[in-house]
Amino acid sequence: MTTPFRRPRGLTLAAWLHLAQWAALLITGWAYLWRSGALFAADGRLALDVLQVARMGSTGAVFVVLALPTLVVSLGLFRMRKWAWLLGISMQGLTLASALAAYALGRPNYILMVSGILLVFALNQSDLRQGFATRLQ
């Protein structure tokens, strides 16, 4: 009789953190997009600099685009898919790069930075990688 396979705790934590990061990316992206759409004041005058609007809009679009693969990674980690680990590490690189770009534009998002760093550490735990090796045998 074989013992049932248990998902490592680190993997479950990484999956839940990805799910939380998905929500943070979506909320942040929509906030940037919403704020960038506020071009005109109530009296019809230009309320924001056009360049500032373009920066905020493109930053928001990047965060919204990053949200979908982050959700896919979370679901893949819950189901112990091998591709989820590789995609998760890649997504954290992109998320951290976009968070640094937002920081450089004067709109830092420390929540995404901290969650990205935590997820890189969580995905690189030895019990998590051993869980994938056990699952694939």
Side-chain angles (χ1 to χ4, degrees), residues 107-127:
R107 307 236 181 253
N109 191 330
Y110 297 114
I111 293 172
L112 289 178
M113 288 182 193
V114 169
S115 69
I117 292 168
L118 288 174
L119 279 164
V120 167
F121 282 120
L123 288 171
N124 282 309
Q125 296 299 311
S126 61
D127 67 332

Side-chain angles (χ1 to χ4, degrees), residues 59 95-107 113:
T59 303
T95 300
L96 286 170
S98 63
L100 285 174
Y103 178 81
L105 293 173
R107 307 236 181 253
M113 288 182 193

Side-chain angles (χ1 to χ4, degrees), residues 7 20 27 45 47 62 64-65 73 76 81 87 100 107 113 115:
R7 182 184 313 126
I27 291 168
R45 288 182 295 130
V62 167
V64 169
V65 167
V73 167
R81 303 292 186 219
L87 185 59
L100 285 174
R107 307 236 181 253
M113 288 182 193
S115 69

Side-chain angles (χ1 to χ4, degrees), residues 41-104:
D43 59 359
R45 288 182 295 130
L46 193 61
L48 294 174
D49 184 320
V50 174
L51 184 59
Q52 180 183 1
V53 170
R55 285 180 184 160
M56 289 172 61
S58 61
T59 303
V62 167
F63 284 138
V64 169
V65 167
L66 287 174
L68 180 62
T70 304
L71 178 63
V72 170
V73 167
S74 177
L75 297 174
L77 287 173
F78 276 123
R79 300 192 73 207
M80 294 278 309
R81 303 292 186 219
K82 182 179 179 179
W83 52 263
W85 185 88
L86 181 60
L87 185 59
I89 285 291
S90 301
M91 287 304 304
Q92 292 320 305
L94 292 173
T95 300
L96 286 170
S98 63
L100 285 174
Y103 178 81

